[in-house]
């Protein structure tokens, strides 16, 4: 049985890359549960962020689980380069790859396998994959950059996923990613989300520990 306690996962996309190690230590002492790593390839999304070398560097500055979000095409070709440092790897349904095979490869490596869907993808598209993932990552902004406004139209998708989970056949986390702050976190958790990815709201907060505690207790 997966624990349903709320997990707060600051996204390093919003961190000061010139001081990444110190930023990871800051998030760790601020009480973050996971560290979310937004990998972008400039092809699946119109932005390039970082690759395995940065995730490896992050792993040397925190013992928190690293939640790798691959916003890349052909994620199957890169899994092995992230697996040594990651506790979970999420891949996009919309990306070019064999989704079931990629998810199975992540699971066989002993990691949590995540299926991510962008805002334009109807929630019904993930039904055939129920049972094949441990995390359903519902993007609440369009993938590609941080600092965007939360898309409230995503709330029914979270509720539908939570309904499928409530049927008891499938166990999985519901993760939301993008525009998450205390207000949007409340809506998301009430709809059924239990993993909150927050970049701007945590890294830009006057006190990250206060923000993380607020998010966890919505
Ligand atoms: C979008 C990114 C963002 C990021 C969080 O591709 O995945 O969602 O993690 O960004 P904020 O919290 O700044 O909206
Ligand atoms: Zn992400």
């Amino acid at each position: 049985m997966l624990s349903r306690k709320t997990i707060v996962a600051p996204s390093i996309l919003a961190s000061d890359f010139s001081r990444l190690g110190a930023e990871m230590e800051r998030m760790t002492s601020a009480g973050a549960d996971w560290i979310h790593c937004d990998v972008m390839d400039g092809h699946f999304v119109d932005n390039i962020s970082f690759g395995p070398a940065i995730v490896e560097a992050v792993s040397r500055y925190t013992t928190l689980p690293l939640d790798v979000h691959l916003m890349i095409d052909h994620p199957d070709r890169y899994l092995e380069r992230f697996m040594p440092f990651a506790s979970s790897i999420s891949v996009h349904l919309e990306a070019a790859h064999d989704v079931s095979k990629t998810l199975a490869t992540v699971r066989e490596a002993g990691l949590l396998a995540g299926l991510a869907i962008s805002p334009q993808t109807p929630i019904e598209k993930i039904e055939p994959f129920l049972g094949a993932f441990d995390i359903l990552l519902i993007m609440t902004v369009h993938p590609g950059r941080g600092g965007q406004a939360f898309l409230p139209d995503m709330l029914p998708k979270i509720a539908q996923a939570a309904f499928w989970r409530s049927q008891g056949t499938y166990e999985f986390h519901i993760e939301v990613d993008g525009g998450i702050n205390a207000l949007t976190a409340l809506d998301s958790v009430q709809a059924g989300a239990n993993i909150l990815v927050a970049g701007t709201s945590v890294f830009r907060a006057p006190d990250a520990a206060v923000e993380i505690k607020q998010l966890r207790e919505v």
Side-chain angles (χ1 to χ4, degrees):
M1 174 83 174
L2 285 174
S3 141
R4 286 287 173 70
K5 84 169 184 68
T6 299
I7 291 168
V8 178
S11 163
I12 65 173
L13 197 66
S15 70
D16 176 351
F17 277 12
S18 72
R19 304 172 52 254
L20 197 49
E23 290 277 71
M24 292 306 96
E25 287 165 345
R26 180 164 77 94
M27 287 302 126
T28 305
S29 44
D33 297 296
W34 294 3
I35 294 291
H36 187 79
C37 303
D38 280 313
V39 179
M40 300 176 187
D41 64 356
H43 189 261
F44 177 70
V45 291
D46 182 35
N47 191 4
I48 298 175
S49 59
F50 50 81
I54 292 293
V55 176
E56 185 279 326
V58 164
S59 74
R60 282 186 270 119
Y61 285 87
T62 183
T63 52
L64 294 179
L66 301 187
D67 179 40
V68 174
H69 175 192
L70 296 180
M71 287 168 271
I72 71 174
D73 270 328
H74 306 295
D76 48 313
R77 294 181 191 164
Y78 297 88
L79 294 177
E80 315 250 307
R81 290 175 249 189
F82 289 99
M83 280 174 175
F85 319 109
S87 298
S88 49
I89 296 181
S90 291
V91 295
H92 270 264
L93 180 67
E94 305 89 357
H97 64 121
D98 175 335
V99 176
S100 303
K101 191 159 168 283
T102 305
L103 293 170
T105 305
V106 175
R107 269 188 167 167
E108 277 149 28
L111 280 64
L112 292 177
L115 181 58
I117 51 170
S118 297
Q120 72 276 13
T121 300
I123 191 69
E124 291 72 25
K125 294 281 187 193
I126 65 110
E127 259 191 297
F129 301 96
L130 283 169
F133 54 80
D134 306 298
I135 298 170
L136 177 62
L137 195 164
I138 298 177
M139 291 298 299
T140 42
V141 295
H142 292 286
R145 56 184 176 77
Q148 300 175 69
F150 180 87
L151 297 169
D153 290 357
M154 298 300 109
L155 290 171
K157 288 165 79 170
I158 300 167
Q160 178 61 60
F163 172 73
W164 284 328
R165 184 177 63 185
S166 70
Q167 298 305 292
T169 316
Y170 306 107
E171 256 303 303
F172 54 91
H173 293 290
I174 299 174
E175 181 167 344
V176 286
D177 182 354
I180 299 298
N181 54 40
L183 290 178
T184 58
L186 176 60
D187 292 341
S188 301
V189 167
Q190 283 178 339
N194 73 293
I195 301 179
L196 304 172
V197 173
T200 305
S201 65
V202 169
F203 278 97
R204 305 284 191 278
D207 182 330
V210 167
E211 185 70 16
I212 288 171
K213 187 167 181 303
Q214 219 181 3
L215 289 174
R216 186 177 293 119
E217 292 173 357
V218 293

